Amino acid sequence: MSATPGAPPSRRLLAGAHTRAASAWVAGTGVAAIGVAALLSPATIDDGPVLCPFRAVTGLPCPGCGLTRSWVQLVHGDPAASFAAHPFGAVLMALVLALAAVVLLAAMRRRPLPDFEGLVRRPWLVVLLGGWLVFGVLRLVSEL
């Protein structure tokens, strides 16, 4: 857990509840974003406004630029266009759906929700996040 070892048990429980609530919030927000992607049209997604504050200010892409287009293309059945928009889009969507399934199953079985802090510290996820950031830096440098 994220609480310090000498913290009273109630504080440790509160910290655990906080990271468990985070997993439900991330799963719910992610599923809502997938729902929004399903409502958007792939034909008009490239003509929409710039949603990324970094890109709006600098004109350069951040590591997440293209994820909205990627998810829209993916939910509308075009994995090639999804990959072209952002190569990590399908991976992120799969992770969101997997987290949502785990949270839903835990809630249905009346078990504790997964500890989000523990999930994001898994070595394979750290490597994936590192790859995503390397991709973002390389794309940014290629735009300069």
Side-chain angles (χ1 to χ4, degrees):
M1 293 200 192
S2 64
T4 57
S10 61
R11 186 170 174 204
R12 284 191 301 249
L13 289 174
L14 184 59
H18 177 71
T19 62
R20 284 170 174 40
S23 64
W25 186 86
V26 169
T29 303
V31 168
I34 293 169
V36 169
L39 295 174
L40 297 173
S41 169
T44 60
I45 194 68
D46 289 329
D47 299 329
V50 175
L51 301 176
C52 175
F54 183 81
R55 188 172 201 137
V57 171
T58 66
L60 299 169
C62 78
C65 281
L67 283 173
T68 301
R69 289 184 306 256
S70 177
W71 282 22
V72 169
Q73 297 293 350
L74 194 59
V75 297
H76 287 281
D78 193 346
S82 172
F83 187 82
H86 198 294
F88 286 86
V91 174
L92 182 60
M93 185 182 286
L95 288 173
V96 164
L97 291 173
L99 178 62
V102 169
V103 166
L104 185 61
L105 282 173
M108 288 172 50
R109 293 178 178 167
R110 296 185 183 181
R111 302 209 187 260
L113 297 178
D115 177 12
F116 189 72
E117 186 177 324
L119 291 174
V120 297
R121 289 186 175 181
R122 302 230 173 165
W124 64 269
L125 196 55
V126 172
V127 169
L128 182 66
L129 179 60
W132 182 356
L133 292 175
V134 167
F135 161 77
V137 168
L138 291 175
R139 183 171 65 172
L140 180 65
V141 168
S142 73
E143 294 276 330
L144 294 176

